[in-house]
Amino acid sequence: MGMTVTEKILARHAGLEQVEPGQLINAKVDIVLGNDITAPVAIKEFEKLGVNRVFDRDRVVLVPDHFTPNKDIKSAEQAKLLRDFAKRHELTNYFEVGRMGIEHCLLPEQGLALPGFVMVGADSHTCTYGAVGAFATGVGSTDMAAAMATGEAWFKVPESIKFVINGKLQPWVSGKDLILYLIGKIGVDGALYCSMEFAGEAIANLSMDSRLTMANMAIEAGAKNGIFPVDEITHQYLKGRAKWDYQPEYSDSDAIYKEVFEIDAADIDPQVAFPHLPENARAVGNAGEVHIDQVVIGSCTNGRMEDLRAAASVLKGRTVHPGVRAIVIPGTQEIYKQAMQEGLFDIFIDAGAVVSTPTCGPCLGGHMGILAQGERCISTTNRNFVGRMGDPRSEVYLSNPAVAAASAVAGRIISPEELGVKEAAVNA
Amino acid sequence: MLKGKVWRFGEDVDTDAIIPARYLNTSDPAELAKHCMEDADPSFAGVVQAGDIIVAGKNFGCGSSREHAPIAIKEAGVSCVIAKSFARIFFRNSINIGLPILECEAAAQALEQGDEVEVDLDTGVIRNLTRGGEYKAAPFPEFMQELIAAGGLIAYTRRKVSSNA
Ligand code: SF4
């Protein structure tokens, strides 16, 4: 019987010939990840296990990215727990402020996310690494603790749902719009416990940055993981980065899917997800008159070069609306430097936007742009839950970076097209 | 046997509503419990009684992987959560830390705010003592029962690593 790519990766890591959906397995993991919110709890649990070493000091990755550079004393203490643990266990992949980035931008960039890998992270957006053909999924802190000790984790093999996106993308449509459109179609629990597998012509032509954006938001449909076929774009991206050899897996032609969706890319406009769920997606043209107070361009969803270039191409020679605060947050130090060298910071700063050091910051209502009661923000992040970016009575709208940038100029939610900007090639 | 009063919540209750990120600069369970469910019902943490039961619709606990969410619920004194369905990371976190959760569509629909409810975790039977009615939750697969019986993933793993040593 044929297997999907997810089933094959899990079978190999469980030492089995064959697995099927619903089966509970114990699998070896290639990477275990934690951040400054989840790792402190994991470290406490790890110490209860009575082991004195992590399973592999090269494969436990710690990234203090959420409340860093430390926003207050309590978060400084949390970050210190990570730092001390990394030192004690001589971890080779601990990323200090100044060398770090938002974890899900950082790991692929550092070549730590590879095809055929099983990766667990105590962060729900660990599913991002499916973009390079890894099976990657978010777990909790206790899972992380057990995995750090044993190099293994338990999984229920998920059913797979296939999304075939045919045709060519419309102007200003990126990975963000595809995934918002899909979540709008199937709902925030539309892929609950399942694997989302992407395929089709539009996917084959999609840039790595856009693939990372799409896989990132698989969890917003309730999915266990999102996964892309490994192709030339993947190999090109990994060239010179991959830290280890890798062995990609591919879905069999007779693999079994719970459901297959066929979608024509021509039907997909740039999207905006209205408060307070990512499934409230609609075409930007149907947004109506939504005035905004803040714009955030960044996060593990859209803090990469393609995203910053798209935002800059809209902001170039324009200015941020006087009633709007625009905050740009490059995802990693490397992205920060590259954007600076390309002159994007000049564009942002001349437009009246602020450029921040890499951090999760406002994405989860941490710092660097918290909303007051009644304020509205359009953001390139992945969640618009009640209170996500600040006061429970504030609102977050989700979009791609070009729409966010155009909205920053207009002071209300609009498309770059409405602003009269033509799309240039910005793919990374 | 668990017994407590029902607190009803809606569908897609996310982890930001269960424990907002503004409180995640600590992992102290008592601190987290003080803000449990704050953005869904700001009065909840102040009035919930030990043993009370959360009842919700589909996809409870969606969003982030923060284990702080089931920790806050457990530490607030909630004895179990009954929902139509659970988001998967919340599901595994609850099993891993020993917060009882039951997937039961009929009970999730029928139970009302303030109902007195009795839950038998061994059989999955949920009884409404206020208005009558009995429901049965789906049983856990054997492996998860083992995990729960061991006292959660840490106790389970400790046993495994010490027998390997
Ligand atoms: S950027 Fe936002 S979604 Fe991504 S890891 Fe940070 S807090 Fe989570």
Side-chain angles (χ1 to χ4, degrees):
Chain A
M1 199 176 70
M3 288 195 284
T4 66
V5 52
T6 293
E7 289 157 9
K8 282 190 179 172
I9 296 173
L10 287 175
R12 172 151 58 85
H13 284 76
L16 300 169
E17 281 284 306
Q18 180 97 30
V19 296
E20 49 184 77
Q23 191 175 343
L24 281 157
I25 57 162
N26 212 37
K28 292 219 173 320
V29 297
D30 298 294
I31 291 283
V32 183
L33 164 72
N35 61 48
D36 52 323
I37 290 183
T38 58
V41 179
I43 290 168
K44 261 194 245 165
E45 295 300 315
F46 179 86
E47 308 228 287
K48 293 183 195 159
L49 285 171
V51 291
N52 41 29
R53 250 178 297 124
V54 296
F55 82 104
D56 185 337
R57 67 191 190 99
D58 297 328
R59 290 172 186 267
V60 173
V61 182
L62 293 182
V63 188
D65 57 355
H66 279 60
F67 295 151
T68 52
N70 307 138
K71 77 176 178 104
D72 55 22
I73 296 169
K74 281 183 180 170
S75 22
E77 276 159 7
Q78 305 247 90
K80 188 166 181 296
L81 278 173
L82 267 65
R83 189 174 304 120
D84 292 348
F85 185 86
K87 213 180 276 167
R88 195 157 62 249
H89 292 274
E90 300 174 322
L91 302 186
T92 51
N93 287 304
Y94 165 75
F95 294 91
E96 189 55 272
V97 169
R99 274 141 282 175
M100 55 71 110
I102 301 170
E103 52 198 301
H104 310 307
C105 295
L106 187 69
L107 269 69
E109 173 191 290
Q110 295 293 319
L112 294 167
L114 296 172
F117 266 29
V118 168
M119 306 174 67
V120 291
D123 190 279
S124 59
H125 294 104
T126 300
C127 53
T128 309
Y129 315 129
V132 297
F135 170 85
T137 193
V139 295
S141 296
T142 299
D143 279 309
M144 180 190 168
M148 285 198 295
T150 62
E152 292 175 5
W154 65 270
F155 300 105
K156 186 157 99 181
V157 178
E159 293 183 291
S160 294
I161 305 177
K162 191 164 162 178
F163 297 87
V164 184
I165 307 182
N166 299 311
K168 294 215 165 25
L169 302 186
Q170 298 290 310
W172 296 114
V173 169
S174 64
K176 183 63 165 288
D177 305 291
L178 301 185
I179 192 70
L180 283 176
Y181 178 87
L182 294 180
I183 296 166
K185 207 174 164 72
I186 65 172
V188 290
D189 64 345
L192 194 60
Y193 301 116
C194 293
S195 170
M196 293 173 88
E197 191 175 319
F198 304 104
E201 183 195 347
I203 296 299
N205 292 323
L206 205 61
S207 68
M208 185 49 71
D209 282 2
S210 263
R211 293 180 188 188
L212 289 159
T213 303
M214 285 187 76
N216 175 269
M217 288 192 73
I219 176 71
E220 293 345 308
K224 180 168 219 148
N225 69 316
I227 195 158
F228 282 76
V230 174
D231 59 13
E232 216 17 64
I233 292 177
T234 322
H235 295 303
Q236 276 304 324
Y237 176 78
L238 293 171
K239 218 162 141 189
R241 296 179 201 270
K243 283 272 184 328
W244 297 281
D245 291 339
Y246 56 85
Q247 184 187 340
E249 298 286 356
Y250 302 91
S251 289
D252 292 325
S253 55
D254 58 345
I256 296 175
Y257 293 91
K258 185 185 175 200
E259 230 177 322
V260 178
F261 290 90
E262 296 249 0
I263 291 146
D264 188 347
D267 296 339
I268 306 177
D269 283 326
Q271 303 283 305
V272 177
F274 275 51
H276 290 285
L277 285 175
E279 70 182 19
N280 298 333
R282 53 175 99 160
V284 61
N286 302 330
E289 223 10 59
V290 182
H291 291 270
I292 49 161
D293 305 285
Q294 180 168 302
V295 175
V296 172
I297 296 167
S299 85
C300 62
T301 317
N302 283 120
R304 301 185 183 83
M305 277 318 298
E306 172 181 308
D307 306 315
L308 300 183
R309 288 183 192 132
S313 74
V314 174
L315 287 174
K316 189 166 187 179
R318 297 186 173 78
T319 46
V320 171
H321 188 275
V324 174
R325 310 167 312 253
I327 302 166
V328 180
I329 312 177
T332 65
Q333 290 286 96
E334 199 176 300
I335 294 168
Y336 191 96
K337 193 169 165 194
Q338 172 85 23
M340 190 170 70
Q341 285 170 347
E342 287 185 17
L344 306 188
F345 287 2
D346 292 322
I347 296 173
F348 295 137
I349 292 167
D350 289 344
V354 71
V355 181
S356 157
T357 191
T359 179
C360 293
C363 170
L364 80 163
H367 60 152
M368 291 298 297
I370 304 305
L371 300 174
Q373 176 180 341
E375 286 192 326
R376 283 202 198 104
C377 175
I378 186 163
S379 173
T380 68
T381 51
N382 46 39
R383 290 194 174 131
N384 53 356
F385 300 155
V386 171
R388 175 77 181 176
M389 202 176 274
D391 189 278
R393 286 146 298 185
S394 60
E395 290 181 349
V396 177
Y397 296 73
L398 306 176
S399 76
N400 76 27
V403 170
S407 306
V409 173
R412 66 186 175 87
I413 297 180
I414 64 164
S415 71
E417 213 141 58
E418 207 184 321
L419 205 63
V421 196
K422 285 260 169 308
E423 185 176 21
V426 290
N427 285 356
Chain B
M1 192 79 81
L2 307 172
K3 200 163 150 185
K5 225 166 58 246
V6 167
W7 290 84
R8 261 205 87 98
F9 292 90
E11 311 216 303
D12 304 310
V13 173
D14 61 75
T15 51
D16 281 281
I18 298 171
I19 181 73
R22 56 186 178 275
Y23 303 120
L24 296 185
N25 55 3
T26 177
S27 54
D28 173 20
E31 259 315 297
L32 297 172
K34 279 190 211 154
H35 304 289
C36 181
M37 307 305 287
E38 189 167 299
D39 284 1
D41 176 357
S43 67
F44 177 84
V47 284
V48 64
Q49 298 286 319
D52 283 359
I53 291 168
I54 287 178
V55 175
K58 70 174 172 78
N59 204 22
F60 185 85
C62 63
S64 105
S65 68
R66 61 189 73 154
E67 209 159 286
H68 311 65
I71 291 174
I73 290 175
K74 194 176 174 197
E75 188 69 17
V78 171
S79 65
C80 85
V81 184
I82 301 169
K84 186 174 162 197
S85 63
F86 291 92
R88 59 161 287 276
I89 306 178
F90 184 90
F91 183 94
R92 53 186 300 143
N93 285 347
S94 301
I95 303 263
N96 286 345
I97 69 157
L99 169 70
I101 53 172
L102 296 169
E103 224 168 72
C104 182
E105 183 168 358
Q109 238 154 39
L111 298 176
E112 283 178 15
Q113 177 78 20
D115 282 355
E116 184 85 5
V117 167
E118 197 176 74
V119 178
D120 184 338
L121 289 178
D122 292 335
T123 60
V125 171
I126 302 161
R127 232 171 260 120
N128 187 339
L129 304 177
T130 307
R131 294 178 303 111
E134 191 175 299
Y135 315 93
K136 198 160 170 7
F140 287 120
E142 205 182 299
F143 168 71
M144 286 181 204
Q145 285 182 16
E146 259 175 57
L147 263 188
I148 297 166
L153 183 65
I154 290 300
Y156 178 87
T157 308
R158 194 184 317 125
R159 204 183 292 164
K160 206 163 82 176
V161 289
S162 64
S163 69
N164 283 353

